[in-house]
Every structure is written in structure tokens, then in C-alpha cells.
Amino acid sequence: MTLISELKKICKDISGNVLTIGLEFPTVEQVLEKNTNIKNSYSLDFNGKKRTRQQTTNGKGKTIFINKIRKVFKKKKIDFIICNFEDIGRFLRTFIKDSVYINKSKLYIYGYTKDIDLELLEKRYKRYNTKIEILEFENQILITIDNSNAKNNPFKDFGYYICDIGYSLINLIGDLLIS
């Protein structure tokens, strides 16, 4: 089984509101378009900087920042999120809290095994009481995060944000001292 076939299988079964970020497989997009159980489909395509282009099912689009998706999509509005790790990797600090905030069912993250720090990703999502499943393929990985029982708290989010910045600074200082 390959990553593309697994994504196709997932796209056939989903229903409700769907958000895709950086979906790069045209065959998977075709399966999403053919699915009649999807109410609204939003697609964010990365265009080189922090900006993404939002396309909806009715063809209208606007440019939004990926670290501001919380303002565009309200609390627990999106049922399923499918995203490429290459597009969200730089914004992981804000994307984790935002994805838990806007998602009410499942989040799928796919990418190459060498790019994803699984321990860090698991640690940060476990804070919100989520269930994580990992499927590994040849050199790619699919992470399924169940956000149905996840809880957000603005004070905890701010504390986690400060901790993540501190963790990044400690790693940066350690790398500078070693080199």
C-alpha cells in the first residue's frame, strides 16, 4: 500500500467540511471532488512565503496567512484537515494550537520520514489529549491525529507557546555552542 492509495481511501470516507493544505497529489484531489458527502471544501496552497491561497468549492479565493487560519475558520468548524508537512513545518508552533482549535474530528499530516520530528510532534499534540496513529510507508509517513476529545484553553495555549519558544532557543544556543 502506498501513501497515495491510503489518502484516496481516506478521501472517499470523509464527510462534512474539509480543509487541505498543500495537497500535491492530483488524483487525491479528484477523489475529494467526486465525494458527494463533503459540504464545503477549502484548499490552501503554499506559494513560497507565509501566504497561502484559499480556494473554496465555489471558485472564490483569497490570500491568507497560514499562521492566521484560526481567524478565518472558527472554533470546531472543520471536520477533517489533510496537510503536507513541508508546508506547515515552519509554522508548527502556531499550527498545532490552531489545528486543535478549528478541527473537530481528524487531522492527517503526511510527508517524508526524514523531515518530520515525530517525538516533538507527538509531545506537542499529546498536551491537548489527542490520539495519534502513525502509518509508515517506504520513505513517507502518514500521521492521523484524532481531535474529537481535544480541549483548548487560552492560558494553557499561551504557556505552551512560551515553552516552545524556550525549547527552540535552548536548541539554538546548544547548536551554536557545539559548532
Side-chain angles (χ1 to χ4, degrees):
M1 183 172 272
T2 63
L3 176 66
I4 296 174
S5 63
E6 185 67 26
L7 285 173
K8 283 181 183 178
K9 187 173 112 179
I10 289 168
C11 290
K12 286 180 185 177
D13 296 336
I14 62 178
S15 62
N17 297 325
V18 179
L19 171 66
T20 60
I21 301 173
L23 190 61
E24 59 187 27
F25 305 117
T27 55
V28 177
E29 289 176 0
Q30 291 172 356
V31 172
L32 270 175
E33 289 173 5
K34 291 179 184 176
N35 189 345
T36 58
N37 296 330
I38 296 176
K39 294 178 186 173
N40 292 320
S41 177
Y42 305 97
S43 176
L44 299 177
D45 296 322
F46 191 68
N47 66 2
K49 296 184 182 176
K50 286 185 179 180
R51 298 175 188 267
T52 56
R53 186 86 181 151
Q54 176 190 7
Q55 295 290 333
T56 59
T57 52
N58 58 8
K60 296 179 182 175
K62 64 180 180 177
T63 302
I64 62 170
F65 290 101
I66 195 165
N67 55 358
K68 303 284 184 186
I69 61 173
R70 189 177 199 157
K71 292 180 181 178
V72 176
F73 303 106
K74 301 300 177 196
K75 186 172 186 171
K76 303 296 181 189
K77 181 182 177 186
I78 304 295
D79 294 310
F80 294 95
I81 300 175
I82 302 171
C83 57
N84 187 353
F85 188 78
E86 289 179 6
D87 291 348
I88 64 165
R90 294 187 310 178
F91 313 106
L92 203 58
R93 195 178 304 135
T94 58
F95 180 77
I96 290 173
K97 68 177 179 152
D98 292 344
S99 66
V100 171
Y101 182 80
I102 66 172
N103 189 8
K104 63 180 161 184
S105 186
K106 289 194 178 183
L107 165 69
Y108 299 98
I109 300 174
Y110 69 91
Y112 291 101
T113 309
K114 62 181 173 62
D115 295 338
I116 300 174
D117 186 5
L118 284 176
E119 294 174 12
L120 180 67
L121 198 64
E122 280 187 73
K123 182 180 107 178
R124 289 186 179 175
Y125 270 107
K126 290 279 184 179
R127 297 172 177 169
Y128 295 102
N129 194 22
T130 60
K131 296 176 186 172
I132 299 173
E133 297 176 20
I134 299 169
L135 290 174
E136 293 189 23
F137 302 101
E138 293 175 11
N139 60 351
Q140 295 177 331
I141 194 165
L142 177 67
I143 304 166
T144 305
I145 300 165
D146 187 6
N147 287 327
S148 58
N149 295 329
K151 304 254 191 261
N152 277 76
N153 185 335
F155 298 114
K156 284 184 180 180
D157 285 343
F158 182 71
Y160 294 150
Y161 186 74
I162 298 298
C163 289
D164 293 343
I165 289 174
Y167 179 76
S168 299
L169 285 175
I170 289 171
N171 281 342
L172 181 67
I173 292 170
D175 290 344
L176 289 174
L177 291 175
I178 290 175
S179 65

